[in-house]
Amino acid sequence: MEAAYNFKEIMNRPERLAPGHRMCAGCGGTIAVRGVLRSLHEGDRAVVGNATGCLEVSSFMYPYTAYEDSYIHNAFENAGATLSGVETAYRVLKKKGKIKEDFKFITFGGDGGTYDIGFQSLSGAMERGHDMVYVCYDNGAYMNTGTQRSSATPQFADTTTTPAGKASDGKVQVRKDLAAIMAEHHIPYVGQTAFTANFKDLHTKAEKAIYTQGAAFLNILAPCPRGWGYEPSELMDICRTAVDTCYWPLYEVVEGKWILSYKPKAKLPVEEFLRTQRRFRHLFRPGQEELIAQFQKEVDRRWEELQARCGQ
């Protein structure tokens, strides 16, 4: 039976990501990392991988790292390959009796290193079924290098490579649905979550991902104050609105079964989410109503498709 979630007990667990890193105030990346690592059971050890990106440059400066567990920084494109190789070596050494301890393998990457540049190594690691968790902290652009668009960037977002102005309405394409793509790899566990309520959804999904035998993928909405354009204190409100508008639905896929984690009692219009961020402010100028309607249509389509998959 699944243990009851105790917010106070979970939040009082020793931090596995030490304070003093250089991530921005109001950044979702380190909140995601802390939440995932808190889901490790007391006494369990982990090997943490980290693709190049905001998180890596701000939490690691050789030979120092903010991680309390073993840590590996790898290149932008090979977080999945690195940890799958380490996990394989671990299994071989343990079989030979050269390693006695138990370890969990968790790697973190932003959407640039996950949706795009690192997609091939991620896909390979998942398809091979390594006993590891890949966690994407999804901030919707290449934030570390100046807010360039990625395939996780939502349609019409203003970025430095898709600037909104007289000649452009921002990014042309809709965002890739990576969690659904990972589910098509037929791995034991896929979860999509965000920072909502008392972090129960994040905690329970991270724990399932870590303690499920085989490959697991976790996609976490991790807003970026600089790239999205919001005040640090607004982070939780933005995540809650993303979920209640169904822009970022909460769900999991367990052994091929799609399960909806949360269904808003009153689904909010997506403009409530868009209005919270400067990257979408051009959508609220006179004459741009059709763009918001187009965005809403895509959100509705995906929400209906997800509900059908979950048997709702």
Side-chain angles (χ1 to χ4, degrees):
M1 181 181 293
E2 185 177 305
Y5 177 74
N6 186 315
F7 176 76
K8 185 176 181 180
E9 184 272 322
I10 296 300
M11 291 301 159
N12 282 324
R13 288 183 179 180
E15 291 286 356
R16 291 177 183 250
L17 183 73
H21 54 73
R22 295 165 293 149
M23 295 289 270
C24 299
C27 167
T30 44
I31 297 174
V33 172
R34 291 168 65 196
V36 170
L37 296 183
R38 279 197 200 101
S39 299
L40 283 160
H41 297 168
E42 187 176 357
D44 284 356
R45 303 173 70 181
V47 176
V48 176
N50 191 187
T52 297
C54 288
L55 180 64
E56 173 268 319
V57 300
S58 299
S59 63
F60 168 70
M61 182 179 288
Y62 184 82
Y64 303 106
T65 172
Y67 293 86
E68 301 293 346
D69 291 281
S70 299
Y71 175 83
I72 303 174
H73 163 226
N74 44 255
F76 218 156
E77 71 277 5
N78 61 2
T82 299
L83 257 287
S84 63
V86 174
E87 185 269 343
T88 301
Y90 163 77
R91 283 190 287 107
V92 171
L93 292 172
K94 194 163 188 184
K95 186 176 181 180
K96 292 181 177 180
K98 294 184 177 181
I99 293 178
K100 303 297 183 183
E101 302 93 337
D102 293 329
F103 284 87
K104 297 297 182 181
F105 297 87
I106 307 169
T107 193
F108 295 96
D111 52 277
T114 306
Y115 282 66
D116 297 341
I117 300 173
F119 180 75
Q120 45 80 27
S121 67
L122 164 62
S123 179
M126 297 292 103
E127 185 272 333
R128 291 189 299 271
H130 293 277
D131 190 11
M132 59 176 280
V133 183
Y134 192 108
V135 180
C136 177
Y137 62 99
D138 186 344
N139 54 33
Y142 290 84
M143 300 305 184
N144 182 46
T145 50
T147 319
Q148 297 88 1
R149 61 87 80 193
S150 76
S151 60
T153 305
Q155 190 176 28
F156 304 131
D158 178 23
T159 75
T160 53
T161 48
T162 59
K166 293 181 180 179
S168 170
D169 294 318
K171 186 190 173 194
V172 175
Q173 302 83 5
V174 298
R175 64 178 296 275
K176 184 190 292 183
D177 189 351
L178 187 59
I181 293 170
M182 287 298 104
E184 292 302 320
H185 286 66
H186 307 293
I187 59 179
Y189 187 80
V190 173
Q192 181 161 291
T193 187
F195 314 134
T196 59
N198 61 355
F199 291 91
K200 179 181 179 181
D201 192 76
L202 170 60
H203 177 82
T204 54
K205 286 176 179 171
E207 187 176 39
K208 285 180 185 178
I210 293 169
Y211 291 97
T212 293
Q213 186 70 31
F217 177 79
L218 199 59
N219 204 24
I220 304 176
L221 183 67
C224 170
R226 294 183 69 247
W228 291 25
Y230 63 85
E231 293 301 317
S233 61
E234 298 169 348
L235 171 65
M236 292 293 288
D237 289 337
I238 288 174
C239 287
R240 183 173 60 252
T241 306
V243 172
D244 283 336
T245 58
C246 298
Y247 167 76
W248 191 267
L250 307 180
Y251 67 93
E252 56 188 350
V253 186
V254 182
E255 298 291 353
K257 182 180 179 181
W258 290 69
I259 304 166
L260 194 62
S261 308
Y262 173 75
K263 187 173 184 178
K265 292 182 180 179
K267 180 170 171 281
L268 299 177
V270 77
E271 66 182 84
E272 296 297 315
F273 171 70
L274 302 176
R275 198 183 298 275
T276 62
Q277 305 149 58
R278 286 195 300 275
R279 62 177 177 164
F280 294 119
R281 61 186 171 187
H282 57 287
L283 298 183
F284 294 91
R285 295 170 184 158
Q288 299 287 62
E289 293 81 7
E290 176 55 34
L291 299 182
I292 295 179
Q294 188 175 332
F295 200 112
Q296 182 71 66
K297 183 178 180 181
E298 177 64 15
V299 168
D300 291 344
R301 183 191 68 79
R302 295 191 183 201
W303 175 239
E304 290 168 8
E305 183 180 88
L306 175 61
Q307 290 184 96
R309 282 173 163 170
C310 297
Q312 296 287 314

